[in-house]
Amino acid sequence: MSGRYIEQLIKIIAKFPSLGSRSARRIVLYLLKKKETLIPQLITALEEVQNNIKICDICGNYDTENPCSICSSASRDSGLLCVVQDISDLWALERGGLYKGRYHILGGVLSAIEGVTPEDLNIDKLLNRIEQEEISEIILALPATVDGQITMHYISSLLKDKDIKVSTLAQGIPVGGELDYMDDGTIKLALDMRKRL
Amino acid sequence: MSGRYIEQLIKIIAKFPSLGSRSARRIVLYLLKKKETLIPQLITALEEVQNNIKICDICGNYDTENPCSICSSASRDSGLLCVVQDISDLWALERGGLYKGRYHILGGVLSAIEGVTPEDLNIDKLLNRIEQEEISEIILALPATVDGQITMHYISSLLKDKDIKVSTLAQGIPVGGELDYMDDGTIKLALDMRKRL
């Protein structure tokens, strides 16, 4: 192939999540075709992220400020805390713009297979926050997987002696979801959890 | 979402070929998690491509040198020229390492729908090369699409008075291909072009 610089860039981009060497090559060609405009623009954007983005010491969110704009916002309900697995989940909840409390990012879920123990997650930090902040309700918005459910049970067991409401997201058929496309687990759960009209 | 710098980077990456905003968000999170190592590495790779990669005046290839290492190589057969649509096709042929001639990159194929005329392609440059270089055979390795075939016919009509062998890639069932997975057009063509054993 032409030039080790191109190969080096392809190698880095091929390791990005959901990409491989074929899509990396397509992306590098796309960048090369707009070399004079797009590459400097991308470098600037990367440098700005590199220089300005910090991790919030309180919740683990990425922001230009520390504490982040969500933790320091006066208009957010400081009694309501939503525990999520990762920052992408925080972004998903923020896109809706409906949640008005604060967040706590665990940084993963417990996993016997991948060897993730409570010490690997921000659970200590969560307990510290509960001691220091006046939190009345914790929403455990963890993934609806076995590991996610185990993590939820683990955290709720740690909180059972405290005077805090612990809730989790409702499960069932998503809005617009067709029964035909749902897996058996979801259908069983939606039947078991059926609501009276 | 958290911080306009992150959003700006997501916006740029979401425009990459085969990506969208969801995969761009995943990639930016991946970069943020390895902020101290991966982002500087990516910036350096981009800067090196930006500063060192040139377009070869002869064939249109990207390389650190101009003319490119293929055009200036003494071990390449200078009488054999392979005409390809894009640099990705050159890369594909080079990966095999079997072709030992030179290349000419058209930069596209003729298209009535997309309004691509002969003037938009490097056809003039190809005719100039034929005048100046001693080329004995041209392989038209253009895509097996209608537009690709039209472009092949157009170029071969321009070359018909010249003393140059013009060939194209063989078409048929790919190696390892199962009939069951082939489209009707490929099966018809493979039947029509059947070879005597």
Side-chain angles (χ1 to χ4, degrees):
Chain A
M1 217 181 283
S2 47
R4 63 199 157 89
Y5 299 116
I6 294 179
E7 278 176 68
Q8 175 63 16
L9 185 57
I10 290 173
K11 227 168 109 185
I12 294 174
I13 292 178
K15 284 192 201 130
F16 285 5
S18 77
L19 297 185
S21 58
R22 182 178 297 265
S23 36
R25 282 198 298 271
R26 288 188 60 198
I27 289 170
V28 170
L29 265 184
Y30 163 84
L31 289 171
L32 279 168
K33 281 183 186 163
K34 304 185 175 185
K35 199 158 76 82
E36 304 308 321
T37 54
L38 194 59
I39 294 185
Q41 207 186 335
L42 179 57
I43 290 174
T44 307
L46 284 164
E47 281 170 345
E48 276 173 342
V49 163
Q50 171 79 351
N51 298 332
N52 295 300
I53 300 299
K54 305 165 188 74
I55 296 178
C56 173
D57 284 332
I58 300 173
C59 73
N61 186 20
Y62 288 117
D63 203 345
T64 45
E65 300 144 49
N66 178 14
C68 75
S69 56
I70 294 174
C71 283
S72 57
S73 164
S75 65
R76 294 265 178 170
D77 181 352
S78 59
L80 186 59
L81 193 66
C82 183
V83 177
V84 292
Q85 179 182 20
D86 214 336
I87 292 169
S88 52
D89 304 317
L90 182 156
W91 290 355
L93 282 159
E94 284 299 291
R95 275 202 296 285
L98 296 166
Y99 176 69
K100 290 297 173 204
R102 294 178 182 171
Y103 294 94
H104 189 80
I105 289 145
L106 274 192
V109 286
L110 298 173
S111 168
I113 292 170
E114 291 174 34
V116 181
T117 64
E119 288 71 45
D120 299 319
L121 305 177
N122 291 326
I123 292 178
D124 277 354
K125 257 191 181 169
L126 176 64
L127 298 177
N128 281 341
R129 288 185 75 174
I130 290 166
E131 295 297 317
Q132 284 161 17
E133 300 175 28
E134 285 188 16
I135 292 163
S136 55
E137 179 172 357
I138 288 184
I139 303 170
L140 296 172
L142 297 176
T145 58
V146 173
D147 285 344
Q149 301 299 306
I150 289 171
T151 312
M152 278 205 260
H153 282 280
Y154 179 77
I155 295 176
S156 63
S157 75
L158 294 178
L159 302 176
K160 72 172 186 292
D161 295 332
K162 306 201 193 283
D163 186 24
I164 294 175
K165 229 193 301 182
V166 179
S167 60
T168 175
L169 296 180
Q171 285 189 285
I173 312 288
V175 174
E178 293 188 51
L179 271 189
D180 197 20
Y181 289 89
M182 292 296 133
D183 61 299
D184 293 349
T186 302
I187 291 177
K188 182 182 182 307
L189 191 141
L191 274 175
D192 291 349
M193 299 289 183
R194 64 190 179 276
K195 280 195 307 184
R196 248 189 126 139
L197 291 176
Chain B
M1 219 182 279
S2 47
R4 63 199 158 89
Y5 299 115
I6 294 179
E7 278 176 68
Q8 174 63 15
L9 185 58
I10 291 172
K11 228 170 108 185
I12 293 174
I13 293 177
K15 284 191 201 133
F16 285 6
S18 78
L19 297 186
S21 59
R22 182 178 297 267
S23 35
R25 281 197 299 270
R26 287 187 60 199
I27 289 169
V28 169
L29 264 184
Y30 164 83
L31 289 170
L32 278 168
K33 280 181 187 164
K34 304 183 173 187
K35 200 158 75 83
E36 303 308 322
T37 55
L38 194 58
I39 294 185
Q41 208 186 333
L42 180 57
I43 289 174
T44 307
L46 284 164
E47 281 170 344
E48 276 173 344
V49 163
Q50 170 79 351
N51 297 333
N52 295 301
I53 300 300
K54 305 165 188 73
I55 294 178
C56 173
D57 283 333
I58 299 173
C59 72
N61 186 18
Y62 288 117
D63 203 344
T64 45
E65 300 144 49
N66 179 14
C68 75
S69 57
I70 294 174
C71 284
S72 56
S73 164
S75 65
R76 293 266 178 170
D77 181 351
S78 59
L80 186 59
L81 193 66
C82 183
V83 177
V84 292
Q85 179 182 21
D86 214 337
I87 292 168
S88 52
D89 303 319
L90 182 156
W91 290 355
L93 282 158
E94 285 299 292
R95 274 202 295 285
L98 297 167
Y99 175 70
K100 290 296 174 205
R102 294 179 183 171
Y103 294 94
H104 189 81
I105 288 146
L106 274 192
V109 287
L110 299 173
S111 168
I113 291 169
E114 291 174 34
V116 182
T117 65
E119 288 71 44
D120 299 319
L121 306 178
N122 291 325
I123 292 178
D124 277 354
K125 259 189 178 169
L126 176 64
L127 298 177
N128 282 341
R129 287 185 75 175
I130 290 167
E131 296 298 317
Q132 285 161 18
E133 300 175 27
E134 285 186 17
I135 293 163
S136 55
E137 180 173 357
I138 289 184
I139 304 171
L140 297 172
L142 296 177
T145 59
V146 173
D147 286 343
Q149 302 300 306
I150 289 171
T151 311
M152 279 204 260
H153 283 279
Y154 178 78
I155 294 175
S156 63
S157 74
L158 293 178
L159 302 177
K160 71 172 186 294
D161 295 333
K162 307 201 192 287
D163 186 26
I164 294 175
K165 229 193 304 179
V166 179
S167 59
T168 174
L169 296 181
Q171 286 190 285
I173 312 286
V175 174
E178 293 188 51
L179 272 187
D180 197 20
Y181 289 89
M182 292 295 132
D183 62 298
D184 293 349
T186 302
I187 291 177
K188 183 183 182 306
L189 191 141
L191 274 175
D192 291 349
M193 300 290 182
R194 64 190 177 277
K195 278 196 308 185
R196 249 193 127 135
L197 290 177

